[in-house]
mmCIF file of all heavy atoms in Angstrom:
data_model
loop_
_atom_site.group_PDB
_atom_site.id
_atom_site.type_symbol
_atom_site.label_atom_id
_atom_site.label_comp_id
_atom_site.label_asym_id
_atom_site.label_seq_id
_atom_site.Cartn_x
_atom_site.Cartn_y
_atom_site.Cartn_z
ATOM 1 N N ALA A 1 -91.700 -65.452 -75.303
ATOM 2 C CA ALA A 1 -92.934 -65.474 -74.490
ATOM 3 C C ALA A 1 -93.013 -66.640 -73.492
ATOM 4 O O ALA A 1 -93.693 -66.594 -72.529
ATOM 5 C CB ALA A 1 -94.153 -65.462 -75.409
ATOM 6 N N ARG A 2 -92.234 -67.705 -73.799
ATOM 7 C CA ARG A 2 -92.213 -68.864 -72.907
ATOM 8 C C ARG A 2 -91.301 -68.695 -71.717
ATOM 9 O O ARG A 2 -91.378 -69.470 -70.761
ATOM 10 C CB ARG A 2 -91.780 -70.116 -73.711
ATOM 11 C CG ARG A 2 -92.723 -70.438 -74.854
ATOM 12 C CD ARG A 2 -92.161 -71.469 -75.743
ATOM 13 N NE ARG A 2 -90.905 -70.887 -76.346
ATOM 14 C CZ ARG A 2 -90.246 -71.475 -77.291
ATOM 15 N NH1 ARG A 2 -90.515 -72.670 -77.724
ATOM 16 N NH2 ARG A 2 -89.125 -70.927 -77.767
ATOM 17 N N SER A 3 -90.465 -67.669 -71.764
ATOM 18 C CA SER A 3 -89.550 -67.434 -70.633
ATOM 19 C C SER A 3 -90.235 -66.655 -69.507
ATOM 20 O O SER A 3 -91.246 -66.020 -69.730
ATOM 21 C CB SER A 3 -88.298 -66.646 -71.115
ATOM 22 O OG SER A 3 -88.676 -65.310 -71.384
ATOM 23 N N ARG A 4 -89.661 -66.729 -68.353
ATOM 24 C CA ARG A 4 -90.217 -65.991 -67.196
ATOM 25 C C ARG A 4 -90.173 -64.506 -67.451
ATOM 26 O O ARG A 4 -91.101 -63.768 -67.193
ATOM 27 C CB ARG A 4 -89.442 -66.352 -65.910
ATOM 28 C CG ARG A 4 -90.094 -65.729 -64.656
ATOM 29 C CD ARG A 4 -89.510 -66.215 -63.402
ATOM 30 N NE ARG A 4 -88.160 -65.638 -63.304
ATOM 31 C CZ ARG A 4 -87.304 -65.992 -62.386
ATOM 32 N NH1 ARG A 4 -87.584 -66.874 -61.491
ATOM 33 N NH2 ARG A 4 -86.078 -65.438 -62.368
ATOM 34 N N ARG A 5 -89.062 -64.011 -67.980
ATOM 35 C CA ARG A 5 -88.978 -62.593 -68.351
ATOM 36 C C ARG A 5 -89.985 -62.210 -69.395
ATOM 37 O O ARG A 5 -90.552 -61.114 -69.329
ATOM 38 C CB ARG A 5 -87.533 -62.294 -68.834
ATOM 39 C CG ARG A 5 -87.211 -60.843 -68.828
ATOM 40 C CD ARG A 5 -85.693 -60.599 -68.977
ATOM 41 N NE ARG A 5 -85.162 -61.261 -70.100
ATOM 42 C CZ ARG A 5 -85.074 -60.749 -71.329
ATOM 43 N NH1 ARG A 5 -85.532 -59.518 -71.559
ATOM 44 N NH2 ARG A 5 -84.561 -61.416 -72.337
ATOM 45 N N GLY A 6 -90.237 -63.093 -70.306
ATOM 46 C CA GLY A 6 -91.265 -62.794 -71.348
ATOM 47 C C GLY A 6 -92.642 -62.693 -70.767
ATOM 48 O O GLY A 6 -93.466 -61.953 -71.287
ATOM 49 N N ARG A 7 -92.916 -63.489 -69.758
ATOM 50 C CA ARG A 7 -94.238 -63.429 -69.098
ATOM 51 C C ARG A 7 -94.335 -62.263 -68.108
ATOM 52 O O ARG A 7 -95.408 -61.644 -67.977
ATOM 53 C CB ARG A 7 -94.534 -64.725 -68.336
ATOM 54 C CG ARG A 7 -94.758 -65.916 -69.273
ATOM 55 C CD ARG A 7 -95.212 -67.137 -68.478
ATOM 56 N NE ARG A 7 -94.284 -67.539 -67.386
ATOM 57 C CZ ARG A 7 -93.240 -68.355 -67.481
ATOM 58 N NH1 ARG A 7 -92.987 -68.853 -68.656
ATOM 59 N NH2 ARG A 7 -92.482 -68.611 -66.504
ATOM 60 N N ASP A 8 -93.244 -61.916 -67.413
ATOM 61 C CA ASP A 8 -93.371 -60.983 -66.322
ATOM 62 C C ASP A 8 -93.017 -59.515 -66.695
ATOM 63 O O ASP A 8 -93.511 -58.583 -66.098
ATOM 64 C CB ASP A 8 -92.385 -61.405 -65.173
ATOM 65 C CG ASP A 8 -92.743 -62.710 -64.575
ATOM 66 O OD1 ASP A 8 -93.876 -63.152 -64.789
ATOM 67 O OD2 ASP A 8 -91.904 -63.331 -63.902
ATOM 68 N N GLU A 9 -92.189 -59.317 -67.698
ATOM 69 C CA GLU A 9 -91.720 -57.983 -68.076
ATOM 70 C C GLU A 9 -92.797 -57.279 -68.827
ATOM 71 O O GLU A 9 -93.294 -57.752 -69.865
ATOM 72 C CB GLU A 9 -90.458 -58.064 -68.942
ATOM 73 C CG GLU A 9 -89.826 -56.709 -69.212
ATOM 74 C CD GLU A 9 -88.571 -56.921 -70.073
ATOM 75 O OE1 GLU A 9 -87.570 -57.370 -69.504
ATOM 76 O OE2 GLU A 9 -88.627 -56.596 -71.288
ATOM 77 N N PRO A 10 -93.244 -56.114 -68.322
ATOM 78 C CA PRO A 10 -94.288 -55.394 -68.995
ATOM 79 C C PRO A 10 -93.825 -54.835 -70.391
ATOM 80 O O PRO A 10 -92.682 -54.367 -70.501
ATOM 81 C CB PRO A 10 -94.663 -54.263 -68.111
ATOM 82 C CG PRO A 10 -93.570 -54.124 -67.129
ATOM 83 C CD PRO A 10 -92.831 -55.434 -67.122
ATOM 84 N N ALA A 11 -94.673 -54.937 -71.388
ATOM 85 C CA ALA A 11 -94.315 -54.491 -72.734
ATOM 86 C C ALA A 11 -94.063 -52.949 -72.749
ATOM 87 O O ALA A 11 -93.272 -52.519 -73.593
ATOM 88 C CB ALA A 11 -95.440 -54.882 -73.709
ATOM 89 N N GLU A 12 -94.694 -52.203 -71.863
ATOM 90 C CA GLU A 12 -94.558 -50.768 -71.892
ATOM 91 C C GLU A 12 -93.099 -50.324 -71.577
ATOM 92 O O GLU A 12 -92.719 -49.216 -71.984
ATOM 93 C CB GLU A 12 -95.514 -50.060 -70.869
ATOM 94 C CG GLU A 12 -96.940 -50.436 -71.060
ATOM 95 C CD GLU A 12 -97.315 -51.684 -70.303
ATOM 96 O OE1 GLU A 12 -96.951 -51.894 -69.114
ATOM 97 O OE2 GLU A 12 -97.947 -52.565 -70.944
ATOM 98 N N THR A 13 -92.344 -51.139 -70.876
ATOM 99 C CA THR A 13 -90.997 -50.765 -70.541
ATOM 100 C C THR A 13 -89.962 -51.007 -71.602
ATOM 101 O O THR A 13 -88.859 -50.578 -71.509
ATOM 102 C CB THR A 13 -90.541 -51.504 -69.263
ATOM 103 O OG1 THR A 13 -90.505 -52.923 -69.543
ATOM 104 C CG2 THR A 13 -91.427 -51.230 -68.093
ATOM 105 N N ARG A 14 -90.374 -51.670 -72.633
ATOM 106 C CA ARG A 14 -89.415 -52.030 -73.721
ATOM 107 C C ARG A 14 -89.241 -50.804 -74.656
ATOM 108 O O ARG A 14 -90.164 -50.100 -75.011
ATOM 109 C CB ARG A 14 -89.917 -53.236 -74.501
ATOM 110 C CG ARG A 14 -90.024 -54.441 -73.685
ATOM 111 C CD ARG A 14 -90.505 -55.645 -74.449
ATOM 112 N NE ARG A 14 -90.784 -56.730 -73.531
ATOM 113 C CZ ARG A 14 -91.878 -57.467 -73.612
ATOM 114 N NH1 ARG A 14 -92.754 -57.295 -74.569
ATOM 115 N NH2 ARG A 14 -92.104 -58.412 -72.758
ATOM 116 N N LEU A 15 -88.019 -50.670 -75.113
ATOM 117 C CA LEU A 15 -87.640 -49.605 -76.081
ATOM 118 C C LEU A 15 -87.270 -50.249 -77.397
ATOM 119 O O LEU A 15 -86.733 -51.373 -77.445
ATOM 120 C CB LEU A 15 -86.462 -48.797 -75.589
ATOM 121 C CG LEU A 15 -86.664 -48.023 -74.288
ATOM 122 C CD1 LEU A 15 -85.299 -47.398 -73.889
ATOM 123 C CD2 LEU A 15 -87.665 -46.921 -74.468
ATOM 124 N N SER A 16 -87.457 -49.498 -78.476
ATOM 125 C CA SER A 16 -86.962 -49.933 -79.787
ATOM 126 C C SER A 16 -85.408 -49.888 -79.697
ATOM 127 O O SER A 16 -84.851 -49.234 -78.811
ATOM 128 C CB SER A 16 -87.436 -49.051 -80.899
ATOM 129 O OG SER A 16 -86.875 -47.763 -80.788
ATOM 130 N N ARG A 17 -84.762 -50.616 -80.560
ATOM 131 C CA ARG A 17 -83.284 -50.635 -80.575
ATOM 132 C C ARG A 17 -82.717 -49.261 -80.739
ATOM 133 O O ARG A 17 -81.776 -48.810 -80.078
ATOM 134 C CB ARG A 17 -82.736 -51.543 -81.632
ATOM 135 C CG ARG A 17 -82.912 -53.018 -81.303
ATOM 136 C CD ARG A 17 -82.207 -53.902 -82.329
ATOM 137 N NE ARG A 17 -82.368 -55.299 -81.975
ATOM 138 C CZ ARG A 17 -83.342 -56.085 -82.342
ATOM 139 N NH1 ARG A 17 -84.260 -55.630 -83.213
ATOM 140 N NH2 ARG A 17 -83.392 -57.356 -82.009
ATOM 141 N N ILE A 18 -83.331 -48.468 -81.664
ATOM 142 C CA ILE A 18 -82.828 -47.098 -81.876
ATOM 143 C C ILE A 18 -83.021 -46.227 -80.658
ATOM 144 O O ILE A 18 -82.114 -45.434 -80.272
ATOM 145 C CB ILE A 18 -83.430 -46.459 -83.156
ATOM 146 C CG1 ILE A 18 -82.695 -45.141 -83.548
ATOM 147 C CG2 ILE A 18 -84.914 -46.161 -82.998
ATOM 148 C CD1 ILE A 18 -81.295 -45.342 -84.030
ATOM 149 N N ASP A 19 -84.130 -46.351 -79.963
ATOM 150 C CA ASP A 19 -84.366 -45.522 -78.726
ATOM 151 C C ASP A 19 -83.439 -45.973 -77.626
ATOM 152 O O ASP A 19 -82.942 -45.102 -76.885
ATOM 153 C CB ASP A 19 -85.818 -45.671 -78.278
ATOM 154 C CG ASP A 19 -86.763 -44.926 -79.220
ATOM 155 O OD1 ASP A 19 -86.320 -44.064 -79.977
ATOM 156 O OD2 ASP A 19 -87.958 -45.292 -79.199
ATOM 157 N N ASP A 20 -83.160 -47.255 -77.577
ATOM 158 C CA ASP A 20 -82.188 -47.787 -76.531
ATOM 159 C C ASP A 20 -80.802 -47.188 -76.821
ATOM 160 O O ASP A 20 -80.083 -46.790 -75.904
ATOM 161 C CB ASP A 20 -82.186 -49.279 -76.516
ATOM 162 C CG ASP A 20 -81.355 -49.839 -75.373
ATOM 163 O OD1 ASP A 20 -81.502 -49.364 -74.221
ATOM 164 O OD2 ASP A 20 -80.550 -50.786 -75.662
ATOM 165 N N LEU A 21 -80.391 -47.218 -78.085
ATOM 166 C CA LEU A 21 -79.104 -46.649 -78.478
ATOM 167 C C LEU A 21 -79.013 -45.183 -78.154
ATOM 168 O O LEU A 21 -78.011 -44.693 -77.676
ATOM 169 C CB LEU A 21 -78.769 -46.929 -79.936
ATOM 170 C CG LEU A 21 -78.486 -48.368 -80.306
ATOM 171 C CD1 LEU A 21 -78.394 -48.520 -81.826
ATOM 172 C CD2 LEU A 21 -77.220 -48.867 -79.635
ATOM 173 N N LYS A 22 -80.078 -44.432 -78.441
ATOM 174 C CA LYS A 22 -80.129 -43.014 -78.151
ATOM 175 C C LYS A 22 -80.029 -42.807 -76.648
ATOM 176 O O LYS A 22 -79.311 -41.866 -76.202
ATOM 177 C CB LYS A 22 -81.410 -42.363 -78.645
ATOM 178 C CG LYS A 22 -81.449 -42.213 -80.150
ATOM 179 C CD LYS A 22 -82.809 -41.635 -80.603
ATOM 180 C CE LYS A 22 -82.911 -41.510 -82.099
ATOM 181 N NZ LYS A 22 -84.253 -41.068 -82.513
ATOM 182 N N ARG A 23 -80.702 -43.624 -75.838
ATOM 183 C CA ARG A 23 -80.669 -43.492 -74.395
ATOM 184 C C ARG A 23 -79.234 -43.709 -73.863
ATOM 185 O O ARG A 23 -78.776 -43.023 -72.964
ATOM 186 C CB ARG A 23 -81.606 -44.519 -73.738
ATOM 187 C CG ARG A 23 -81.735 -44.413 -72.250
ATOM 188 C CD ARG A 23 -82.716 -45.408 -71.664
ATOM 189 N NE ARG A 23 -82.430 -46.777 -72.041
ATOM 190 C CZ ARG A 23 -81.572 -47.575 -71.414
ATOM 191 N NH1 ARG A 23 -80.883 -47.171 -70.388
ATOM 192 N NH2 ARG A 23 -81.389 -48.845 -71.804
ATOM 193 N N LYS A 24 -78.506 -44.612 -74.519
ATOM 194 C CA LYS A 24 -77.138 -44.893 -74.160
ATOM 195 C C LYS A 24 -76.146 -43.964 -74.824
ATOM 196 O O LYS A 24 -74.922 -44.119 -74.587
ATOM 197 C CB LYS A 24 -76.793 -46.325 -74.535
ATOM 198 C CG LYS A 24 -77.599 -47.359 -73.747
ATOM 199 C CD LYS A 24 -77.256 -48.790 -74.251
ATOM 200 C CE LYS A 24 -78.058 -49.861 -73.492
ATOM 201 N NZ LYS A 24 -77.853 -51.188 -74.102
ATOM 202 N N LYS A 25 -76.655 -43.045 -75.627
ATOM 203 C CA LYS A 25 -75.833 -42.079 -76.356
ATOM 204 C C LYS A 25 -74.814 -42.751 -77.285
ATOM 205 O O LYS A 25 -73.649 -42.369 -77.376
ATOM 206 C CB LYS A 25 -75.096 -41.101 -75.396
ATOM 207 C CG LYS A 25 -76.054 -40.245 -74.606
ATOM 208 C CD LYS A 25 -75.305 -39.354 -73.687
ATOM 209 C CE LYS A 25 -76.187 -38.341 -73.008
ATOM 210 N NZ LYS A 25 -77.152 -38.819 -72.035
ATOM 211 N N ILE A 26 -75.320 -43.805 -77.974
ATOM 212 C CA ILE A 26 -74.517 -44.537 -78.946
ATOM 213 C C ILE A 26 -75.074 -44.225 -80.342
ATOM 214 O O ILE A 26 -76.271 -44.402 -80.611
ATOM 215 C CB ILE A 26 -74.554 -46.044 -78.714
ATOM 216 C CG1 ILE A 26 -73.965 -46.376 -77.338
ATOM 217 C CG2 ILE A 26 -73.869 -46.822 -79.820
ATOM 218 C CD1 ILE A 26 -74.117 -47.823 -76.915
ATOM 219 N N LEU A 27 -74.233 -43.780 -81.235
ATOM 220 C CA LEU A 27 -74.644 -43.554 -82.607
ATOM 221 C C LEU A 27 -74.583 -44.857 -83.368
ATOM 222 O O LEU A 27 -73.479 -45.427 -83.454
ATOM 223 C CB LEU A 27 -73.683 -42.503 -83.235
ATOM 224 C CG LEU A 27 -74.010 -42.093 -84.680
ATOM 225 C CD1 LEU A 27 -75.362 -41.362 -84.708
ATOM 226 C CD2 LEU A 27 -72.930 -41.189 -85.215
ATOM 227 N N PRO A 28 -75.671 -45.317 -83.917
ATOM 228 C CA PRO A 28 -75.658 -46.637 -84.570
ATOM 229 C C PRO A 28 -74.817 -46.509 -85.863
ATOM 230 O O PRO A 28 -74.908 -45.537 -86.612
ATOM 231 C CB PRO A 28 -77.110 -46.920 -84.924
ATOM 232 C CG PRO A 28 -77.773 -45.602 -84.874
ATOM 233 C CD PRO A 28 -77.000 -44.715 -83.937
ATOM 234 N N SER A 29 -73.957 -47.531 -86.073
ATOM 235 C CA SER A 29 -73.231 -47.533 -87.321
ATOM 236 C C SER A 29 -74.124 -48.239 -88.340
ATOM 237 O O SER A 29 -74.771 -49.242 -88.071
ATOM 238 C CB SER A 29 -71.913 -48.274 -87.171
ATOM 239 O OG SER A 29 -72.114 -49.508 -86.572
ATOM 240 N N MET A 30 -74.153 -47.677 -89.544
ATOM 241 C CA MET A 30 -75.002 -48.219 -90.585
ATOM 242 C C MET A 30 -74.164 -48.794 -91.693
ATOM 243 O O MET A 30 -73.023 -48.389 -91.919
ATOM 244 C CB MET A 30 -75.876 -47.117 -91.118
ATOM 245 C CG MET A 30 -76.844 -46.498 -90.127
ATOM 246 S SD MET A 30 -78.156 -47.655 -89.610
ATOM 247 C CE MET A 30 -79.118 -47.740 -91.074
ATOM 248 N N PRO A 31 -74.754 -49.721 -92.465
ATOM 249 C CA PRO A 31 -73.986 -50.310 -93.579
ATOM 250 C C PRO A 31 -73.861 -49.256 -94.694
ATOM 251 O O PRO A 31 -74.595 -48.236 -94.714
ATOM 252 C CB PRO A 31 -74.853 -51.468 -94.023
ATOM 253 C CG PRO A 31 -76.197 -51.121 -93.569
ATOM 254 C CD PRO A 31 -76.040 -50.306 -92.332
ATOM 255 N N PRO A 32 -72.897 -49.448 -95.614
ATOM 256 C CA PRO A 32 -72.768 -48.470 -96.712
ATOM 257 C C PRO A 32 -74.026 -48.481 -97.573
ATOM 258 O O PRO A 32 -74.737 -49.453 -97.705
ATOM 259 C CB PRO A 32 -71.586 -49.024 -97.533
ATOM 260 C CG PRO A 32 -71.274 -50.385 -97.026
ATOM 261 C CD PRO A 32 -71.968 -50.543 -95.701
ATOM 262 N N ASN A 33 -74.336 -47.286 -98.074
ATOM 263 C CA ASN A 33 -75.535 -47.138 -98.910
ATOM 264 C C ASN A 33 -75.082 -46.517 -100.269
ATOM 265 O O ASN A 33 -74.872 -45.320 -100.350
ATOM 266 C CB ASN A 33 -76.555 -46.250 -98.234
ATOM 267 C CG ASN A 33 -77.811 -46.075 -99.025
ATOM 268 O OD1 ASN A 33 -77.968 -46.550 -100.129
ATOM 269 N ND2 ASN A 33 -78.761 -45.366 -98.420
ATOM 270 N N PRO A 34 -74.981 -47.328 -101.299
ATOM 271 C CA PRO A 34 -74.536 -46.801 -102.574
ATOM 272 C C PRO A 34 -75.512 -45.975 -103.318
ATOM 273 O O PRO A 34 -75.153 -45.342 -104.319
ATOM 274 C CB PRO A 34 -74.165 -48.107 -103.353
ATOM 275 C CG PRO A 34 -75.069 -49.160 -102.808
ATOM 276 C CD PRO A 34 -75.181 -48.770 -101.317
ATOM 277 N N ALA A 35 -76.792 -45.980 -102.885
ATOM 278 C CA ALA A 35 -77.809 -45.191 -103.572
ATOM 279 C C ALA A 35 -78.715 -44.472 -102.568
ATOM 280 O O ALA A 35 -79.889 -44.807 -102.416
ATOM 281 C CB ALA A 35 -78.654 -46.091 -104.448
ATOM 282 N N PRO A 36 -78.138 -43.459 -101.813
ATOM 283 C CA PRO A 36 -78.934 -42.812 -100.772
ATOM 284 C C PRO A 36 -80.168 -42.132 -101.287
ATOM 285 O O PRO A 36 -81.154 -41.984 -100.573
ATOM 286 C CB PRO A 36 -77.922 -41.850 -100.120
ATOM 287 C CG PRO A 36 -76.868 -41.697 -101.110
ATOM 288 C CD PRO A 36 -76.807 -42.923 -101.938
ATOM 289 N N HIS A 37 -80.178 -41.662 -102.546
ATOM 290 C CA HIS A 37 -81.336 -41.021 -103.082
ATOM 291 C C HIS A 37 -82.550 -41.909 -103.132
ATOM 292 O O HIS A 37 -83.673 -41.512 -102.869
ATOM 293 C CB HIS A 37 -81.007 -40.385 -104.466
ATOM 294 C CG HIS A 37 -80.651 -41.418 -105.502
ATOM 295 N ND1 HIS A 37 -79.470 -42.093 -105.471
ATOM 296 C CD2 HIS A 37 -81.360 -41.808 -106.591
ATOM 297 C CE1 HIS A 37 -79.398 -42.897 -106.519
ATOM 298 N NE2 HIS A 37 -80.536 -42.794 -107.191
ATOM 299 N N ILE A 38 -82.295 -43.206 -103.415
ATOM 300 C CA ILE A 38 -83.410 -44.183 -103.479
ATOM 301 C C ILE A 38 -83.972 -44.439 -102.102
ATOM 302 O O ILE A 38 -85.198 -44.419 -101.879
ATOM 303 C CB ILE A 38 -82.952 -45.493 -104.157
ATOM 304 C CG1 ILE A 38 -82.670 -45.187 -105.671
ATOM 305 C CG2 ILE A 38 -84.039 -46.536 -104.070
ATOM 306 C CD1 ILE A 38 -82.090 -46.345 -106.438
ATOM 307 N N THR A 39 -83.110 -44.613 -101.132
ATOM 308 C CA THR A 39 -83.634 -44.827 -99.741
ATOM 309 C C THR A 39 -84.268 -43.555 -99.212
ATOM 310 O O THR A 39 -85.259 -43.616 -98.485
ATOM 311 C CB THR A 39 -82.540 -45.352 -98.774
ATOM 312 O OG1 THR A 39 -81.401 -44.444 -98.840
ATOM 313 C CG2 THR A 39 -82.109 -46.716 -99.156
ATOM 314 N N ASP A 40 -83.776 -42.380 -99.586
ATOM 315 C CA ASP A 40 -84.427 -41.134 -99.226
ATOM 316 C C ASP A 40 -85.825 -41.043 -99.798
ATOM 317 O O ASP A 40 -86.738 -40.611 -99.095
ATOM 318 C CB ASP A 40 -83.588 -39.901 -99.699
ATOM 319 C CG ASP A 40 -82.329 -39.719 -98.923
ATOM 320 O OD1 ASP A 40 -82.166 -40.338 -97.827
ATOM 321 O OD2 ASP A 40 -81.449 -38.941 -99.362
ATOM 322 N N TRP A 41 -86.029 -41.450 -101.024
ATOM 323 C CA TRP A 41 -87.376 -41.442 -101.632
ATOM 324 C C TRP A 41 -88.257 -42.392 -100.848
ATOM 325 O O TRP A 41 -89.439 -42.089 -100.615
ATOM 326 C CB TRP A 41 -87.248 -41.838 -103.080
ATOM 327 C CG TRP A 41 -86.627 -40.799 -103.989
ATOM 328 C CD1 TRP A 41 -86.517 -39.462 -103.740
ATOM 329 C CD2 TRP A 41 -86.019 -41.092 -105.221
ATOM 330 N NE1 TRP A 41 -85.864 -38.868 -104.794
ATOM 331 C CE2 TRP A 41 -85.532 -39.794 -105.728
ATOM 332 C CE3 TRP A 41 -85.801 -42.197 -106.034
ATOM 333 C CZ2 TRP A 41 -84.890 -39.678 -106.971
ATOM 334 C CZ3 TRP A 41 -85.153 -42.084 -107.233
ATOM 335 C CH2 TRP A 41 -84.715 -40.805 -107.694
ATOM 336 N N LEU A 42 -87.760 -43.612 -100.557
ATOM 337 C CA LEU A 42 -88.569 -44.572 -99.832
ATOM 338 C C LEU A 42 -89.006 -44.022 -98.444
ATOM 339 O O LEU A 42 -90.150 -44.090 -98.051
ATOM 340 C CB LEU A 42 -87.824 -45.884 -99.611
ATOM 341 C CG LEU A 42 -88.497 -46.948 -98.756
ATOM 342 C CD1 LEU A 42 -89.848 -47.344 -99.318
ATOM 343 C CD2 LEU A 42 -87.570 -48.129 -98.584
#
């Protein structure tokens, strides 16, 4: 927020990291998940 870009850049133009990766057509690599059923429940 102290930078010029932080003051001048409108918040509406910012994308989440996942949306930015989708826009660039990059599939995010994820770490290994030894218990996918637990994260699925969450």
Side-chain angles (χ1 to χ4, degrees):
R2 298 169 297 187
S3 70
R4 187 171 69 187
R5 196 165 53 88
R7 289 188 305 271
D8 298 343
E9 186 178 287
E12 305 85 49
T13 62
R14 298 182 190 135
L15 295 173
S16 68
R17 286 186 178 92
I18 190 70
D19 289 338
D20 187 46
L21 290 171
K22 286 178 184 176
R23 184 178 56 83
K24 294 174 181 175
K25 296 180 173 67
I26 297 173
L27 182 65
S29 52
M30 297 293 288
N33 183 356
H37 62 290
I38 293 176
T39 53
D40 288 346
W41 291 336
L42 174 61

